[in-house]
Amino acid sequence: MKILFSLFVLTFYSSFLIGEENSIKVVANIQDRSIQLSRQQVRNLFMGGSLPYDLTAISLPPNSHTRVLFNTKVVGLTESRIQSYWAQMRFTGRKPPPTELTSETLIIEYLQTHPGTVTYLPADVQIPEGLTILFQIN
Amino acid sequence: MILKNLISRLFALTSSIVVIFASTSGFAETDNPLEFSGFARVVAGYLDEDNATFLGYNNSISINQQTLVGLQADYQINDSLSATGQFIARTGDDKDSDLEWLYLTYAPSKSLRFKLGRQRTPIFNYSEVVDVGFAYPWISLPQQVYRTFLFPTYEGLHTQYEYIGKKVSLGLEAYAGGTDKDFTSNGRVVDTHIDSLRGGVGTIGYKGWNFRVSYHRGHVDTNQSELNAFSNQLRQLGFTQSANSIKTAGVGRFYQASAFYEDVDYFFRTEVMQLKADLSLAPKTKGYFISAGVNFDPISVYASFSKDINRYGQPSSEIPTGLSPQLDALAFGYQQIFSQSIDNDTKSYTIGLRWDWKQNLAFKVESTLLEENNALQGLFTTRDVNNFDGQAMLYQVAMEWVF
């Protein structure tokens, strides 16, 4: 019984860790801390769309594990398809892709000094004061 | 050898451009107001048929039909105003190298955008990026929808508005303009004047779905002097119905609707169109395609089916025959004009694979069974009517690059 209980605790804890590891949160440097976004709004924001709020998306590079998670859980498209989408947008003069920064550390620093910017990060990353979580998905 | 030379020249040209403008190129936004970018495609095709040709392909491998390089320059004048030019160098016999886009963009807000200048007409989903093969899975877009030649480009004003709600996103586009352009069709240059061109596009996005409906109309004048002279002659002789039936000017109208779905694992696309044109040599056309595929990122495989139905106006029978040799000759000449306008139905069955080798470089293979029901007119560019059965396989491989 004790072994069974230990296994149960271990399994629960592992799944919790895996869940946390694969969770994504969308954070922004904004004044209005009451804003919450839906998945559709986040998806559109990072695909070049404009929300009623003055937000500018900042993205990680395509080889980032966090970006792959974000593509899968929020955008719902493969990286290949996202690249072909940006080719379509760019060569028809429609929307520019988000600015890309090479690491999560750089992005956090950038957000802190640029009001109105928004990005996605792994849920276990410590969010500095001044940044607001707009959306989270497990 | 020819293939090797062409690819070498293409790479040399594009590589030089990339090196020259390396400091300013790239997809990500930079502080430099001037940015260069571009795209290139090398397409090799082979039509497994001795008695017909299609899109310039015949029973020998050709890379000169759809291979091209496009270069784009964007200059950000201030926060809301920018200028863009896009030049495309082509290899196909029927296609001219040209400055395809040249426009100013004014974006007073993130949701509203105006473009003024020379642009591609946004008739179908991929009309504006027909040349950017990297933007779509196929090598050749489904011809039953995308081959129509009426007003592909225009000079005018385009407006785009976007609204994103909690669950649904909406887009509205409207444009107006016109153009004078020589279009080359089947090796024949057609001097075309288009005015009163206008259209509207509505889109709805919901989860992985995107729905699009649009309407486009324009007055088209294909300046064909011989036909015009013959029409005037008929009118002077009192054969008004016959004269009217060989009009080379009139209004063309496109109706379009599409539904696209995609997620990480699958994609589904369907698009339907209808074209009605008051021109004797342009048929009333209904066309559609259905396509579905599976992603094994970075590889995707797909299958497509497309079909169109083309119906021409019938010739008038008001010119009497058997009364005089002159009238017989006139009636014969009139009927001859319609001899190249034969009602037809066409179909294509396509399977293909796309492999995104790098972030900006993809390889594709595709095979298509092409069918025209009467083996006389419809899908193929030329055919030996005595020996052609109306069916042929087209095999294509392509490299698509954006930089």
Side-chain angles (χ1 to χ4, degrees):
Chain A
M1 190 65 191
K2 201 172 179 179
I3 294 169
L4 272 177
F5 180 75
S6 303
L7 274 174
F8 173 77
V9 169
L10 195 65
T11 310
F12 179 80
Y13 184 65
S14 305
S15 63
F16 173 78
L17 278 182
I18 290 165
E20 182 74 6
E21 200 174 84
N22 289 327
S23 295
I24 292 284
K25 57 190 169 192
V26 174
V27 299
N29 179 349
I30 47 171
Q31 296 272 324
D32 183 355
R33 298 198 157 212
S34 65
I35 294 173
Q36 288 294 297
L37 300 181
S38 66
R39 182 185 155 192
Q40 184 77 5
Q41 285 176 309
V42 175
R43 179 189 200 272
N44 280 300
L45 177 62
F46 282 87
M47 295 299 276
S50 60
L51 300 186
Y53 320 108
D54 190 17
L55 293 171
T56 303
I58 310 293
S59 191
L60 286 161
N63 58 2
S64 152
H65 175 66
T66 307
R67 174 157 165 162
V68 174
L69 276 177
F70 182 75
N71 291 344
T72 308
K73 290 173 175 285
V74 180
V75 180
L77 295 174
T78 61
E79 183 59 41
S80 305
R81 177 65 190 104
I82 289 170
Q83 292 300 330
S84 70
Y85 169 84
W86 287 124
Q88 183 172 2
M89 293 300 112
R90 181 170 193 86
F91 296 117
T92 57
R94 285 171 189 270
K95 302 168 182 176
T99 298
E100 282 176 18
L101 295 176
T102 50
S103 75
E104 287 155 13
T105 313
L106 275 178
I107 278 198
I108 291 171
E109 285 173 15
Y110 187 87
L111 251 65
Q112 286 178 294
T113 53
H114 291 78
T117 50
V118 54
T119 194
Y120 49 85
L121 294 166
D124 56 0
V125 166
Q126 189 70 35
I127 305 298
E129 273 191 40
L131 300 186
T132 307
I133 298 173
L134 305 181
F135 175 78
Q136 183 153 351
I137 190 165
N138 293 320
Chain B
M1 193 64 183
I2 296 169
L3 176 74
K4 197 177 168 188
N5 284 341
L6 187 81
I7 292 174
S8 303
R9 278 160 54 193
L10 204 65
F11 267 103
L13 174 66
T14 48
S15 301
S16 307
I17 292 157
V18 169
V19 169
I20 290 166
F21 301 117
S23 60
T24 54
S25 67
F27 274 70
E29 286 182 358
T30 69
D31 293 332
N32 194 327
L34 182 60
E35 286 188 17
F36 291 91
S37 54
F39 50 90
R41 64 186 324 216
V42 179
V43 183
Y46 170 78
L47 187 72
D48 190 13
E49 173 61 53
D50 296 334
N51 301 304
T53 64
F54 174 73
L55 291 179
Y57 295 116
N58 56 24
N59 59 350
S60 62
I61 295 171
S62 170
I63 58 164
N64 295 329
Q65 307 308 322
Q66 298 182 82
T67 296
L68 57 82
V69 180
L71 296 170
Q72 180 166 308
D74 295 280
Y75 185 73
Q76 195 71 40
I77 298 164
N78 59 39
D79 284 349
S80 56
L81 193 64
S82 63
T84 301
Q86 189 185 105
F87 175 81
I88 299 179
R90 304 174 190 278
T91 55
D93 294 337
D94 275 6
K95 294 168 181 174
D96 300 324
S97 298
D98 203 357
L99 197 59
E100 297 277 341
W101 298 76
L102 187 64
Y103 59 89
L104 282 172
T105 303
Y106 173 60
S109 71
K110 285 185 179 175
S111 57
L112 186 60
R113 189 178 294 261
F114 299 94
K115 288 191 291 185
L116 179 68
R118 180 182 297 172
Q119 302 166 62
R120 281 288 178 89
T121 318
I123 296 176
F124 306 120
N125 266 284
Y126 296 110
S127 294
E128 296 165 286
V129 281
V130 168
D131 297 312
V132 189
F134 191 84
Y136 48 81
W138 305 273
I139 293 177
S140 298
L141 287 160
Q143 292 297 296
Q144 282 77 358
V145 172
Y146 282 87
R147 67 178 162 158
T148 45
F149 73 95
L150 288 177
F151 36 91
T153 60
Y154 71 101
E155 282 104 43
L157 179 67
H158 177 271
T159 311
Q160 183 187 2
Y161 174 74
E162 184 180 56
Y163 169 78
I164 294 171
K166 281 272 182 192
K167 291 188 174 176
V168 176
S169 61
L170 303 171
L172 288 173
E173 293 175 39
Y175 67 91
T179 194
D180 281 304
K181 195 171 167 73
D182 287 345
F183 294 111
T184 310
S185 176
N186 295 345
R188 195 166 57 96
V189 177
V190 182
D191 172 18
T192 307
H193 172 78
I194 297 162
D195 57 35
S196 304
L197 176 62
R198 52 185 179 265
V201 181
T203 56
I204 296 176
Y206 174 70
K207 293 188 175 174
W209 287 95
N210 191 273
F211 303 94
R212 184 186 195 269
V213 290
S214 67
Y215 169 72
H216 315 264
R217 60 93 67 200
H219 184 268
V220 183
D221 188 348
T222 56
N223 185 15
Q224 298 175 75
S225 53
E226 286 177 14
L227 267 183
N228 288 338
F230 190 63
S231 176
N232 290 337
Q233 187 187 358
L234 288 169
R235 200 176 303 280
Q236 283 166 4
L237 292 168
F239 299 119
T240 314
Q241 278 181 27
S242 304
N244 289 340
S245 68
I246 51 172
K247 283 196 303 183
T248 57
V251 174
R253 294 180 179 82
F254 278 101
Y255 304 85
Q256 177 272 352
S258 62
F260 285 14
Y261 173 81
E262 53 193 330
D263 62 27
V264 174
D265 300 312
Y266 307 101
F267 55 91
F268 167 80
R269 295 179 179 127
T270 185
E271 187 161 23
V272 296
M273 61 79 79
Q274 186 169 8
L275 165 64
K276 293 179 179 174
D278 304 332
L279 299 165
S280 63
L281 301 178
K284 286 188 172 63
T285 296
K286 291 177 184 173
Y288 68 88
F289 75 81
I290 300 172
S291 183
V294 184
N295 295 322
F296 307 97
D297 197 38
I299 289 171
S300 56
V301 292
Y302 56 89
S304 300
F305 171 73
S306 52
K307 182 181 178 181
D308 68 3
I309 300 166
N310 302 293
R311 297 289 178 265
Y312 289 87
Q314 294 303 305
S316 165
S317 54
E318 70 175 339
I319 306 171
T321 52
L323 297 177
S324 74
Q326 288 84 359
L327 281 176
D328 286 353
L330 193 70
F332 178 75
Y334 174 73
Q335 294 293 335
Q336 276 298 103
I337 293 168
F338 287 86
S339 66
Q340 297 301 310
S341 303
I342 306 161
D343 289 352
N344 61 77
D345 301 349
T346 81
K347 294 175 190 169
S348 298
Y349 305 84
T350 301
I351 54 169
L353 178 149
R354 172 179 172 142
W355 173 34
D356 283 82
W357 183 47
K358 298 232 167 139
Q359 188 186 328
N360 63 342
L361 185 63
F363 295 96
K364 299 175 182 173
V365 293
E366 188 172 280
S367 66
T368 304
L369 172 62
L370 306 161
E371 280 185 9
E372 60 184 19
N373 67 329
N374 58 17
L376 294 171
Q377 194 175 13
L379 196 53
F380 294 89
T381 317
T382 61
R383 79 276 290 148
D384 174 357
V385 292
N386 296 318
N387 296 303
F388 184 48
D389 66 356
Q391 285 191 350
M393 285 297 300
L394 174 69
Y395 301 98
Q396 296 177 97
V397 295
M399 185 199 74
E400 312 278 9
W401 187 26
V402 291
F403 50 90

